[in-house]
Amino acid sequence: MIKEKLAQIKKGKLTAVQNISNFLQKIKKENKKINAFLYVNPNALKEAKIVDEKIKKHGKAGKLAGLAIAVKANINVKDMPISCASKTLENYYGTYDAEVIKKIKQQDGIIIGILNMDEFACGASGETSAFGPTQNPSAPGLIPGGSSSGSAAAIAADFCDITLGSDTGGSIRNPASHCAVIGIKPSYGRVSRYGLIDLAMSLDQIGPLCKDVYGVALMLEVIAGKSNYDAITYDKPVPNYTKEIDEPIKNLRIGLSENFKKLCKDKKIYELIEKKAEELAKKTNSKIKNIKLNYIDLGIATYYPIVYTEFFSGTRKFDGRRYGKKIEESCGEEVLRRILGGKEISKAEYHGTYYRKALAAKELIKEEFENAFKQVDILLSPVTPKLPHKIGEKINVEDMYAYDAFTVLANLSGICAGVIPAGKINNAPVGLQIMAPAFKEELLFKVMRCLE
Ligand code: GLN
């Protein structure tokens, strides 16, 4: 439990050095099997010692004092290999700290290492990394989910306290669900992306994963806020999330949707979600309401043209001239598919055909969610429409993309969404997705806490 551990570290009952060294030993012993870490920080113990000295000298330290934080390989950390799990950037070392990393360091968090992922965040299974798939510590043999596969697996395997992932269409929530951990995608504009190697600029957010709600809330408290380096961040005050999570909630208006039910391929998953909704309603003396969401089956068809187009544009800098290799000559199949697809639909002759139409559909989905949140406070849904497949199993592209049907909706509409374990079906962990209006993360946390 993060809260208790922090109290121990701040009192000197557990040193930061001990905390980090416990994790380092565990990583050393077990990471070969899990493949969650691509790199371990050789200076982690030294940095922990500085935090211990600070506590001894001043009797206090930052909000993340001595906690082990691991980072997805697409977020810049100075002097660490930020490969995006690709051969293209295999030898690229971060030349600066992303804004989120700066904030973590300011609060005395220790960056313990860099995590595996789907190559350039393109994927939903954790299998497209150029450095081998990540294994699922909570369900051996099954995919851990992606693209933040290492971020979820490292938490599930107890390799660190909190991780950072990125979520463009579900990449934090999908692996959180498959690995039975907690994760959130903050609202669009809540967290600075300065230093994130983008997949699709108009959808990306950085967010935390942890074993408990407190840890996720704490990390968001540290990394959220207006940035001078990311123009889409909003100048809204950052609530004291960790304080607010324990406030009781009553009389919620909980939303479910028949349209979610239709979209869910595995009926057992939906039954579990309904059960969780009833549990929440009972605990909080709330009512469940059925909401019509007529456009949500457009999610995938809207999301992918946007991602293809923006990814194509974003990858033009990887031309192999100043650093790294030329991306088309060094990347894997899925990344190449998106570059070639994005190049095609960006052509002048298709002006207004794909990207523009997708943006219009995005607006429709956004409006639909805005309307829904006039009728309910939160919406509950599955995270993925089916259970995770076995690692290595051949899956066609459409089926792989279909994993994202429930998660892309939050990115397309800019709202926040979190995932908390809901139970198991056929031994596979299944998460519950909670969606809340933009900038209502504190409500997400309270609901998650209630179900924790
Ligand atoms: N699975 C989705 C994709 O492949 C989501 C990726 C993400 O959120 N980074 O694009």
Side-chain angles (χ1 to χ4, degrees), residues 72 74 117-118 120-125 146-148 166-175 199-200 203-205 303-304 307-308 334 338 400-401 403-404 407-408 411:
K72 187 175 179 178
N74 61 351
M117 58 185 277
D118 279 302
F120 282 105
C122 297
S125 72
S147 65
S148 311
S166 68
D167 191 310
T168 311
S171 280
I172 289 174
R173 291 161 287 156
N174 161 316
L199 170 56
L203 304 166
D204 295 335
Q205 270 293 287
Y303 169 81
Y304 276 95
V307 168
Y308 273 44
E334 181 56 33
R338 294 182 191 210
M400 190 65 91
Y401 288 1
Y403 270 118
D404 307 326
T407 45
V408 295
N411 306 75

mmCIF file of all heavy atoms in Angstrom, residues 72 74 117-118 120-125 146-148 166-175 199-200 203-205 303-304 307-308 334 338 400-401 403-404 407-408 411, ligand 1:
data_model
loop_
_atom_site.group_PDB
_atom_site.id
_atom_site.type_symbol
_atom_site.label_atom_id
_atom_site.label_comp_id
_atom_site.label_asym_id
_atom_site.label_seq_id
_atom_site.Cartn_x
_atom_site.Cartn_y
_atom_site.Cartn_z
ATOM 1 N N LYS A 72 7.371 4.141 -19.266
ATOM 2 C CA LYS A 72 7.214 3.574 -20.609
ATOM 3 C C LYS A 72 8.278 4.135 -21.542
ATOM 4 O O LYS A 72 8.628 5.324 -21.437
ATOM 5 C CB LYS A 72 5.811 3.920 -21.120
ATOM 6 C CG LYS A 72 5.417 3.277 -22.432
ATOM 7 C CD LYS A 72 3.963 3.589 -22.767
ATOM 8 C CE LYS A 72 3.527 2.980 -24.086
ATOM 9 N NZ LYS A 72 2.102 3.232 -24.394
ATOM 10 N N ASN A 74 8.504 5.446 -24.232
ATOM 11 C CA ASN A 74 8.261 6.554 -25.166
ATOM 12 C C ASN A 74 8.191 7.909 -24.455
ATOM 13 O O ASN A 74 7.740 8.889 -25.021
ATOM 14 C CB ASN A 74 6.982 6.318 -25.991
ATOM 15 C CG ASN A 74 5.729 6.213 -25.124
ATOM 16 O OD1 ASN A 74 5.808 6.147 -23.904
ATOM 17 N ND2 ASN A 74 4.567 6.186 -25.758
ATOM 18 N N MET A 117 7.052 -2.083 -24.320
ATOM 19 C CA MET A 117 5.777 -1.581 -24.867
ATOM 20 C C MET A 117 5.600 -2.115 -26.280
ATOM 21 O O MET A 117 6.536 -2.664 -26.855
ATOM 22 C CB MET A 117 5.811 -0.040 -24.896
ATOM 23 C CG MET A 117 6.974 0.519 -25.714
ATOM 24 S SD MET A 117 7.125 2.327 -25.639
ATOM 25 C CE MET A 117 5.937 2.805 -26.879
ATOM 26 N N ASP A 118 4.434 -1.937 -26.849
ATOM 27 C CA ASP A 118 4.280 -2.190 -28.268
ATOM 28 C C ASP A 118 5.056 -1.112 -29.014
ATOM 29 O O ASP A 118 5.077 0.058 -28.603
ATOM 30 C CB ASP A 118 2.798 -2.127 -28.672
ATOM 31 C CG ASP A 118 2.073 -3.426 -28.357
ATOM 32 O OD1 ASP A 118 2.506 -4.473 -28.862
ATOM 33 O OD2 ASP A 118 1.088 -3.385 -27.603
ATOM 34 N N PHE A 120 6.404 1.855 -30.765
ATOM 35 C CA PHE A 120 5.829 3.201 -30.975
ATOM 36 C C PHE A 120 4.380 3.294 -30.493
ATOM 37 O O PHE A 120 3.582 4.054 -31.045
ATOM 38 C CB PHE A 120 5.942 3.629 -32.444
ATOM 39 C CG PHE A 120 7.322 4.110 -32.808
ATOM 40 C CD1 PHE A 120 8.178 3.317 -33.552
ATOM 41 C CD2 PHE A 120 7.774 5.352 -32.373
ATOM 42 C CE1 PHE A 120 9.468 3.753 -33.863
ATOM 43 C CE2 PHE A 120 9.063 5.796 -32.694
ATOM 44 C CZ PHE A 120 9.908 4.991 -33.439
ATOM 45 N N ALA A 121 4.042 2.487 -29.496
ATOM 46 C CA ALA A 121 2.694 2.502 -28.889
ATOM 47 C C ALA A 121 1.606 2.018 -29.850
ATOM 48 O O ALA A 121 0.427 2.284 -29.649
ATOM 49 C CB ALA A 121 2.340 3.879 -28.323
ATOM 50 N N CYS A 122 2.017 1.307 -30.912
ATOM 51 C CA CYS A 122 1.051 0.780 -31.886
ATOM 52 C C CYS A 122 0.722 -0.667 -31.543
ATOM 53 O O CYS A 122 1.469 -1.583 -31.903
ATOM 54 C CB CYS A 122 1.613 0.833 -33.291
ATOM 55 S SG CYS A 122 1.959 2.498 -33.851
ATOM 56 N N GLY A 123 -0.369 -0.875 -30.842
ATOM 57 C CA GLY A 123 -0.740 -2.246 -30.536
ATOM 58 C C GLY A 123 -1.615 -2.321 -29.310
ATOM 59 O O GLY A 123 -1.771 -1.352 -28.566
ATOM 60 N N ALA A 124 -2.204 -3.492 -29.122
ATOM 61 C CA ALA A 124 -3.094 -3.688 -27.978
ATOM 62 C C ALA A 124 -2.735 -4.974 -27.232
ATOM 63 O O ALA A 124 -3.474 -5.407 -26.358
ATOM 64 C CB ALA A 124 -4.546 -3.753 -28.454
ATOM 65 N N SER A 125 -1.581 -5.558 -27.576
ATOM 66 C CA SER A 125 -1.290 -6.878 -27.007
ATOM 67 C C SER A 125 0.061 -6.991 -26.322
ATOM 68 O O SER A 125 0.330 -7.973 -25.645
ATOM 69 C CB SER A 125 -1.384 -7.944 -28.100
ATOM 70 O OG SER A 125 -0.281 -7.837 -28.973
ATOM 71 N N GLY A 146 -1.729 -4.040 -24.318
ATOM 72 C CA GLY A 146 -0.795 -3.019 -24.761
ATOM 73 C C GLY A 146 -1.527 -1.742 -25.101
ATOM 74 O O GLY A 146 -2.733 -1.670 -24.954
ATOM 75 N N SER A 147 -0.797 -0.717 -25.467
ATOM 76 C CA SER A 147 0.619 -0.813 -25.737
ATOM 77 C C SER A 147 1.497 -0.645 -24.488
ATOM 78 O O SER A 147 2.657 -1.009 -24.524
ATOM 79 C CB SER A 147 1.025 0.249 -26.766
ATOM 80 O OG SER A 147 0.847 1.556 -26.227
ATOM 81 N N SER A 148 0.955 -0.170 -23.361
ATOM 82 C CA SER A 148 1.793 0.000 -22.160
ATOM 83 C C SER A 148 1.931 -1.345 -21.429
ATOM 84 O O SER A 148 1.632 -1.449 -20.237
ATOM 85 C CB SER A 148 1.198 1.052 -21.229
ATOM 86 O OG SER A 148 0.876 2.235 -21.924
ATOM 87 N N SER A 166 1.270 5.545 -21.574
ATOM 88 C CA SER A 166 0.600 6.551 -22.399
ATOM 89 C C SER A 166 -0.619 5.891 -23.011
ATOM 90 O O SER A 166 -0.640 4.673 -23.207
ATOM 91 C CB SER A 166 1.531 7.086 -23.489
ATOM 92 O OG SER A 166 1.804 6.070 -24.431
ATOM 93 N N ASP A 167 -1.631 6.701 -23.274
ATOM 94 C CA ASP A 167 -2.910 6.153 -23.723
ATOM 95 C C ASP A 167 -3.461 7.021 -24.850
ATOM 96 O O ASP A 167 -3.804 8.174 -24.633
ATOM 97 C CB ASP A 167 -3.873 6.123 -22.523
ATOM 98 C CG ASP A 167 -5.146 5.341 -22.780
ATOM 99 O OD1 ASP A 167 -5.791 5.591 -23.816
ATOM 100 O OD2 ASP A 167 -5.506 4.491 -21.936
ATOM 101 N N THR A 168 -3.487 6.433 -26.043
ATOM 102 C CA THR A 168 -3.998 7.135 -27.220
ATOM 103 C C THR A 168 -5.389 6.624 -27.573
ATOM 104 O O THR A 168 -6.244 7.347 -28.037
ATOM 105 C CB THR A 168 -3.036 6.896 -28.414
ATOM 106 O OG1 THR A 168 -1.712 7.149 -27.986
ATOM 107 C CG2 THR A 168 -3.380 7.767 -29.603
ATOM 108 N N GLY A 169 -5.547 5.303 -27.306
ATOM 109 C CA GLY A 169 -6.841 4.684 -27.586
ATOM 110 C C GLY A 169 -7.122 3.539 -26.625
ATOM 111 O O GLY A 169 -7.954 2.679 -26.891
ATOM 112 N N GLY A 170 -6.378 3.525 -25.526
ATOM 113 C CA GLY A 170 -6.617 2.469 -24.531
ATOM 114 C C GLY A 170 -5.364 1.851 -23.954
ATOM 115 O O GLY A 170 -5.419 0.928 -23.137
ATOM 116 N N SER A 171 -4.211 2.387 -24.333
ATOM 117 C CA SER A 171 -2.956 1.727 -23.999
ATOM 118 C C SER A 171 -2.582 1.672 -22.526
ATOM 119 O O SER A 171 -1.675 0.939 -22.148
ATOM 120 C CB SER A 171 -1.807 2.357 -24.772
ATOM 121 O OG SER A 171 -1.818 1.829 -26.070
ATOM 122 N N ILE A 172 -3.265 2.437 -21.682
ATOM 123 C CA ILE A 172 -3.069 2.255 -20.237
ATOM 124 C C ILE A 172 -4.137 1.304 -19.713
ATOM 125 O O ILE A 172 -3.860 0.371 -18.951
ATOM 126 C CB ILE A 172 -3.170 3.614 -19.503
ATOM 127 C CG1 ILE A 172 -1.941 4.474 -19.825
ATOM 128 C CG2 ILE A 172 -3.295 3.408 -17.986
ATOM 129 C CD1 ILE A 172 -2.011 5.897 -19.278
ATOM 130 N N ARG A 173 -5.363 1.501 -20.186
ATOM 131 C CA ARG A 173 -6.497 0.771 -19.608
ATOM 132 C C ARG A 173 -6.550 -0.681 -20.035
ATOM 133 O O ARG A 173 -6.890 -1.561 -19.245
ATOM 134 C CB ARG A 173 -7.795 1.506 -19.989
ATOM 135 C CG ARG A 173 -7.917 2.850 -19.279
ATOM 136 C CD ARG A 173 -8.898 3.749 -19.976
ATOM 137 N NE ARG A 173 -8.377 4.276 -21.226
ATOM 138 C CZ ARG A 173 -9.092 4.689 -22.241
ATOM 139 N NH1 ARG A 173 -10.406 4.636 -22.183
ATOM 140 N NH2 ARG A 173 -8.525 5.171 -23.332
ATOM 141 N N ASN A 174 -6.221 -0.945 -21.289
ATOM 142 C CA ASN A 174 -6.264 -2.325 -21.773
ATOM 143 C C ASN A 174 -5.265 -3.229 -21.031
ATOM 144 O O ASN A 174 -5.655 -4.258 -20.476
ATOM 145 C CB ASN A 174 -6.093 -2.257 -23.302
ATOM 146 C CG ASN A 174 -5.656 -3.533 -23.966
ATOM 147 O OD1 ASN A 174 -4.774 -4.218 -23.508
ATOM 148 N ND2 ASN A 174 -6.280 -3.855 -25.082
ATOM 149 N N PRO A 175 -3.992 -2.853 -20.901
ATOM 150 C CA PRO A 175 -3.087 -3.703 -20.116
ATOM 151 C C PRO A 175 -3.415 -3.721 -18.619
ATOM 152 O O PRO A 175 -3.190 -4.738 -17.957
ATOM 153 C CB PRO A 175 -1.695 -3.114 -20.379
ATOM 154 C CG PRO A 175 -1.926 -1.755 -20.932
ATOM 155 C CD PRO A 175 -3.263 -1.768 -21.588
ATOM 156 N N LEU A 199 2.057 9.206 -30.507
ATOM 157 C CA LEU A 199 1.430 8.312 -31.482
ATOM 158 C C LEU A 199 0.428 9.146 -32.289
ATOM 159 O O LEU A 199 0.508 9.215 -33.505
ATOM 160 C CB LEU A 199 0.736 7.146 -30.760
ATOM 161 C CG LEU A 199 -0.165 6.247 -31.617
ATOM 162 C CD1 LEU A 199 0.582 5.663 -32.799
ATOM 163 C CD2 LEU A 199 -0.752 5.126 -30.774
ATOM 164 N N ALA A 200 -0.498 9.795 -31.603
ATOM 165 C CA ALA A 200 -1.444 10.688 -32.282
ATOM 166 C C ALA A 200 -1.712 11.868 -31.369
ATOM 167 O O ALA A 200 -2.401 11.759 -30.363
ATOM 168 C CB ALA A 200 -2.737 9.960 -32.601
ATOM 169 N N LEU A 203 -4.907 12.866 -29.483
ATOM 170 C CA LEU A 203 -5.539 11.884 -28.589
ATOM 171 C C LEU A 203 -4.681 11.480 -27.388
ATOM 172 O O LEU A 203 -5.213 11.030 -26.366
ATOM 173 C CB LEU A 203 -5.880 10.605 -29.374
ATOM 174 C CG LEU A 203 -6.772 10.768 -30.619
ATOM 175 C CD1 LEU A 203 -6.728 9.501 -31.465
ATOM 176 C CD2 LEU A 203 -8.203 11.074 -30.217
ATOM 177 N N ASP A 204 -3.362 11.610 -27.508
ATOM 178 C CA ASP A 204 -2.440 11.088 -26.475
ATOM 179 C C ASP A 204 -2.613 11.722 -25.091
ATOM 180 O O ASP A 204 -2.804 12.929 -24.985
ATOM 181 C CB ASP A 204 -0.974 11.385 -26.863
ATOM 182 C CG ASP A 204 -0.507 10.678 -28.110
ATOM 183 O OD1 ASP A 204 -1.059 9.633 -28.437
ATOM 184 O OD2 ASP A 204 0.449 11.187 -28.744
ATOM 185 N N GLN A 205 -2.515 10.899 -24.070
ATOM 186 C CA GLN A 205 -2.334 11.389 -22.696
ATOM 187 C C GLN A 205 -1.376 10.457 -21.964
ATOM 188 O O GLN A 205 -1.342 9.261 -22.238
ATOM 189 C CB GLN A 205 -3.658 11.432 -21.938
ATOM 190 C CG GLN A 205 -4.407 12.750 -22.066
ATOM 191 C CD GLN A 205 -3.704 13.918 -21.394
ATOM 192 O OE1 GLN A 205 -3.660 14.034 -20.193
ATOM 193 N NE2 GLN A 205 -3.126 14.817 -22.199
ATOM 194 N N TYR A 303 -11.318 6.273 -34.963
ATOM 195 C CA TYR A 303 -10.013 6.352 -34.299
ATOM 196 C C TYR A 303 -8.847 6.060 -35.260
ATOM 197 O O TYR A 303 -7.874 6.813 -35.315
ATOM 198 C CB TYR A 303 -10.016 5.364 -33.127
ATOM 199 C CG TYR A 303 -8.674 5.126 -32.486
ATOM 200 C CD1 TYR A 303 -8.155 6.023 -31.560
ATOM 201 C CD2 TYR A 303 -7.914 3.999 -32.802
ATOM 202 C CE1 TYR A 303 -6.926 5.802 -30.963
ATOM 203 C CE2 TYR A 303 -6.687 3.767 -32.211
ATOM 204 C CZ TYR A 303 -6.188 4.670 -31.289
ATOM 205 O OH TYR A 303 -4.976 4.448 -30.718
ATOM 206 N N TYR A 304 -8.949 4.979 -36.019
ATOM 207 C CA TYR A 304 -7.769 4.554 -36.790
ATOM 208 C C TYR A 304 -7.345 5.520 -37.905
ATOM 209 O O TYR A 304 -6.141 5.782 -38.052
ATOM 210 C CB TYR A 304 -7.900 3.096 -37.240
ATOM 211 C CG TYR A 304 -7.437 2.185 -36.111
ATOM 212 C CD1 TYR A 304 -8.324 1.641 -35.207
ATOM 213 C CD2 TYR A 304 -6.075 1.956 -35.900
ATOM 214 C CE1 TYR A 304 -7.880 0.876 -34.123
ATOM 215 C CE2 TYR A 304 -5.623 1.196 -34.834
ATOM 216 C CZ TYR A 304 -6.531 0.652 -33.953
ATOM 217 O OH TYR A 304 -6.066 -0.090 -32.895
ATOM 218 N N VAL A 307 -5.397 8.179 -36.139
ATOM 219 C CA VAL A 307 -4.092 7.692 -35.692
ATOM 220 C C VAL A 307 -3.146 7.508 -36.886
ATOM 221 O O VAL A 307 -1.996 7.952 -36.847
ATOM 222 C CB VAL A 307 -4.237 6.365 -34.913
ATOM 223 C CG1 VAL A 307 -2.875 5.716 -34.699
ATOM 224 C CG2 VAL A 307 -4.904 6.615 -33.562
ATOM 225 N N TYR A 308 -3.628 6.885 -37.939
ATOM 226 C CA TYR A 308 -2.769 6.670 -39.118
ATOM 227 C C TYR A 308 -2.225 8.006 -39.638
ATOM 228 O O TYR A 308 -1.035 8.155 -39.895
ATOM 229 C CB TYR A 308 -3.565 5.997 -40.241
ATOM 230 C CG TYR A 308 -3.602 4.470 -40.195
ATOM 231 C CD1 TYR A 308 -3.827 3.776 -39.009
ATOM 232 C CD2 TYR A 308 -3.435 3.727 -41.358
ATOM 233 C CE1 TYR A 308 -3.886 2.387 -38.992
ATOM 234 C CE2 TYR A 308 -3.488 2.340 -41.347
ATOM 235 C CZ TYR A 308 -3.720 1.678 -40.168
ATOM 236 O OH TYR A 308 -3.774 0.316 -40.161
ATOM 237 N N GLU A 334 3.411 -3.681 -37.930
ATOM 238 C CA GLU A 334 2.266 -2.842 -37.560
ATOM 239 C C GLU A 334 2.578 -1.351 -37.731
ATOM 240 O O GLU A 334 1.750 -0.581 -38.203
ATOM 241 C CB GLU A 334 1.815 -3.149 -36.119
ATOM 242 C CG GLU A 334 0.607 -2.356 -35.630
ATOM 243 C CD GLU A 334 -0.624 -2.498 -36.522
ATOM 244 O OE1 GLU A 334 -0.839 -3.561 -37.117
ATOM 245 O OE2 GLU A 334 -1.380 -1.501 -36.630
ATOM 246 N N ARG A 338 0.846 1.401 -40.517
ATOM 247 C CA ARG A 338 0.257 2.710 -40.182
ATOM 248 C C ARG A 338 0.923 3.838 -40.960
ATOM 249 O O ARG A 338 0.267 4.800 -41.354
ATOM 250 C CB ARG A 338 0.357 2.963 -38.676
ATOM 251 C CG ARG A 338 -0.498 1.979 -37.908
ATOM 252 C CD ARG A 338 -0.458 2.224 -36.422
ATOM 253 N NE ARG A 338 -1.076 1.090 -35.737
ATOM 254 C CZ ARG A 338 -1.718 1.164 -34.588
ATOM 255 N NH1 ARG A 338 -1.802 2.314 -33.970
ATOM 256 N NH2 ARG A 338 -2.247 0.086 -34.033
ATOM 257 N N MET A 400 -7.518 -7.457 -33.879
ATOM 258 C CA MET A 400 -6.608 -6.756 -32.955
ATOM 259 C C MET A 400 -7.146 -5.345 -32.689
ATOM 260 O O MET A 400 -7.195 -4.900 -31.540
ATOM 261 C CB MET A 400 -5.204 -6.692 -33.571
ATOM 262 C CG MET A 400 -4.139 -6.222 -32.621
ATOM 263 S SD MET A 400 -3.862 -7.355 -31.238
ATOM 264 C CE MET A 400 -2.567 -8.393 -31.903
ATOM 265 N N TYR A 401 -7.575 -4.650 -33.738
ATOM 266 C CA TYR A 401 -8.090 -3.295 -33.563
ATOM 267 C C TYR A 401 -9.391 -3.304 -32.741
ATOM 268 O O TYR A 401 -9.692 -2.348 -32.026
ATOM 269 C CB TYR A 401 -8.345 -2.632 -34.929
ATOM 270 C CG TYR A 401 -7.079 -2.239 -35.686
ATOM 271 C CD1 TYR A 401 -5.817 -2.496 -35.159
ATOM 272 C CD2 TYR A 401 -7.142 -1.607 -36.922
ATOM 273 C CE1 TYR A 401 -4.665 -2.149 -35.852
ATOM 274 C CE2 TYR A 401 -5.993 -1.244 -37.621
ATOM 275 C CZ TYR A 401 -4.759 -1.521 -37.090
ATOM 276 O OH TYR A 401 -3.629 -1.165 -37.772
ATOM 277 N N TYR A 403 -10.095 -4.821 -30.154
ATOM 278 C CA TYR A 403 -9.854 -4.748 -28.703
ATOM 279 C C TYR A 403 -10.126 -3.346 -28.159
ATOM 280 O O TYR A 403 -10.395 -3.155 -26.985
ATOM 281 C CB TYR A 403 -8.384 -5.061 -28.388
ATOM 282 C CG TYR A 403 -8.077 -6.510 -28.133
ATOM 283 C CD1 TYR A 403 -7.206 -7.209 -28.960
ATOM 284 C CD2 TYR A 403 -8.624 -7.181 -27.034
ATOM 285 C CE1 TYR A 403 -6.892 -8.536 -28.722
ATOM 286 C CE2 TYR A 403 -8.309 -8.503 -26.784
ATOM 287 C CZ TYR A 403 -7.452 -9.178 -27.634
ATOM 288 O OH TYR A 403 -7.145 -10.481 -27.390
ATOM 289 N N ASP A 404 -9.975 -2.345 -29.032
ATOM 290 C CA ASP A 404 -10.020 -0.953 -28.576
ATOM 291 C C ASP A 404 -11.418 -0.341 -28.583
ATOM 292 O O ASP A 404 -11.574 0.840 -28.276
ATOM 293 C CB ASP A 404 -9.114 -0.080 -29.467
ATOM 294 C CG ASP A 404 -7.699 -0.618 -29.565
ATOM 295 O OD1 ASP A 404 -7.228 -1.174 -28.560
ATOM 296 O OD2 ASP A 404 -7.075 -0.491 -30.625
ATOM 297 N N THR A 407 -12.314 1.506 -25.395
ATOM 298 C CA THR A 407 -11.353 2.448 -24.810
ATOM 299 C C THR A 407 -11.151 3.699 -25.667
ATOM 300 O O THR A 407 -10.949 4.788 -25.126
ATOM 301 C CB THR A 407 -9.993 1.767 -24.545
ATOM 302 O OG1 THR A 407 -9.635 0.986 -25.689
ATOM 303 C CG2 THR A 407 -10.052 0.888 -23.317
ATOM 304 N N VAL A 408 -11.229 3.559 -26.994
ATOM 305 C CA VAL A 408 -10.990 4.736 -27.854
ATOM 306 C C VAL A 408 -12.008 5.845 -27.578
ATOM 307 O O VAL A 408 -11.741 7.022 -27.824
ATOM 308 C CB VAL A 408 -11.028 4.396 -29.371
ATOM 309 C CG1 VAL A 408 -9.889 3.459 -29.747
ATOM 310 C CG2 VAL A 408 -12.366 3.828 -29.796
ATOM 311 N N ASN A 411 -10.785 8.695 -25.462
ATOM 312 C CA ASN A 411 -9.809 9.552 -26.140
ATOM 313 C C ASN A 411 -10.499 10.433 -27.169
ATOM 314 O O ASN A 411 -10.182 11.610 -27.313
ATOM 315 C CB ASN A 411 -8.730 8.705 -26.830
ATOM 316 C CG ASN A 411 -8.062 7.736 -25.873
ATOM 317 O OD1 ASN A 411 -8.659 6.725 -25.507
ATOM 318 N ND2 ASN A 411 -6.863 8.047 -25.431
HETATM 319 N N1 GLN B 1 -4.427 -0.262 -29.439
HETATM 320 C C1 GLN B 1 -4.516 1.083 -29.870
HETATM 321 C C2 GLN B 1 -3.640 1.278 -31.071
HETATM 322 O O1 GLN B 1 -3.016 0.360 -31.457
HETATM 323 C C3 GLN B 1 -4.170 2.010 -28.770
HETATM 324 C C4 GLN B 1 -2.751 2.410 -28.699
HETATM 325 C C5 GLN B 1 -2.457 3.416 -27.641
HETATM 326 O O2 GLN B 1 -3.327 3.825 -26.847
HETATM 327 N N2 GLN B 1 -1.231 3.868 -27.611
HETATM 328 O O3 GLN B 1 -3.562 2.321 -31.640
#
